[in-house]
Amino acid sequence: MKLIDNFKKMNQYSIEYQEDIQEHICTSQQAFSACLCLFFIMHAVVLHILDFAASKELYTALAISSSQLLITFIWYLLFRYYFPVHKKHTLAAAHMNIFLVVILFELQYFLYNEYISYNIIICTVLCTSLTVIGHMVRYITILAAALGVDTAITVFKNYEVLNSIEMKMYIIDNLFVLTIAAGINCSISWLKYRDFEKKKQIIYLSQRDCLTGLLNRNALENYVKKYAGNDGICSMILLDLDNFKKLNDSLGHYEGDSCLCRTADELTGLFDSSFYVSRLGGDEFVIFMPYVRDVGYVMDRVRLLLEKIPEKYTSGTDEISVTCSVGVAFLKMEQDDLYEKLYKAADTAMYKSKAKGKNTVTVFENEFSSKILPKSLLR
C-alpha cells in the first residue's frame, strides 16, 4: 500500500516539478551523449583500427561506429540547443535516446560479439537511470524493451544452447540489471524531488513578505518586468492605509500587524490569481494585473475594496477609523521600463486620493487612460 502511495506521489511530483525535471533531463542527457561520443571515438580508434586494420571488415566496423557517433552527436545537439527552448517533448526524446543507445550497442554486439563487451552494455544501461527522473513506469518499459531486444539477439545467436544453464543465467542477469537500474532511477528521482522541494521553499520565502505572506517588493518588480515589452494593457492598483500611524501609536504594533494581515486577507479574497498582490512595506500594498481585458472589472474590484477595508478601533475615548486611499494606473505593456512608469503613475494617483480627503480612489489620467475609461472615473 505504501509503495502504491509512493508511486502516486512521484506522479504528482512529476507534474508539479515539470520545469525542474526538464532542466535536469536536458543537462544529464547532454553529459550522457557527450560521454558516449567520446567513447565511440575511442572505440573506433583503439579497437576497430587496431583489430580490423588487416581485415576486410575495417570499413564496415568504422561505418557502424561512425553512425553511432553521428546519431549520438545529433542527440547531444538537440538536448543542448533545441529541447531547453522547446520543452514539450523533452521526456519522450530522452526515453527514445536511451532506447536507441542500447539498440546501437546491441547492433555492434550482434555483428561483432568479441569486440563489444556485455559489461559495456550493462554500464550504459545503468548510466541511463541517472539521465531521467520521474515517470518511472515509462523508464522501466523503455528499458525492458531494450533489454528484451538484447535477450532476443542473444537467443538468436545461441539458439542451440537455449535450455542451457548459461542462457538461463543470462536472462536472469538481464532481469537483475533491469531491477537495479529501476532502483537507481527511483532513488535519484526521490533525491531530486527533495532538492526541488527545498528550492521551491527557498524561492517562496525569498519572494514573500514575512508578515502577510504576500509578494514582496522585489518579487513584484520582477513579475512586472517579465511582462514588459508584451502587447496588451496592464493595471497597477496602489493603496495606502489611512490613519495607520495613529493606530500603531495608540494601540501598538501588535494591533497594527493584525490590521495589515486582515487587509492582506481582503486583498487576496477580492483579487483572483490573474492579479499579483504585494505588500511593498509599511502600510503600502500593490495589486498588478497583466493583460487587462475588462477595465470595468478592475474598477469594480477597487470599489469593493473601498467598502471592505474600513476598520474601526477604540483607543480610550477615541475612535480610530482605518480606511484606504487608492491610486489606479492603466498602461500599455510594450514599454521596457514598465514597472517604474506604472508605479510612478499609481503613486501619483494615490496621493491625489489622499489630497481629496482619503478613503477614495483616483485613476491616473494620461492620454491612454482617457481613451479607455469614462470621464466619470477620471475625476
Side-chain angles (χ1 to χ4, degrees), residues 7 17 52 101 141 160 171 179 194 213 264 276 282 285 300 324 360:
F7 271 107
Y17 302 124
F52 290 123
V101 164
T141 302
E160 66 281 359
I171 296 172
T179 304
R194 287 175 59 187
Y276 294 88
F285 296 84
D300 287 342
C324 65
T360 188

Side-chain angles (χ1 to χ4, degrees), residues 10 14 24-25 36 43 53 67 72 86 93 99 120 126 139 150 180 202 220 261-262 266 269 282 292 302 319 335 366:
M10 289 187 74
S14 295
H24 170 83
I25 289 174
L36 283 175
H43 192 265
S67 300
T72 305
H86 305 84
F99 183 77
I120 292 176
L126 294 179
Y139 172 71
D150 172 76
I180 293 297
I202 291 171
L220 177 73
C261 291
R262 283 194 292 273
E266 292 291 354
V292 175
V302 173
E319 186 176 76
Q335 46 215 321
N366 57 10

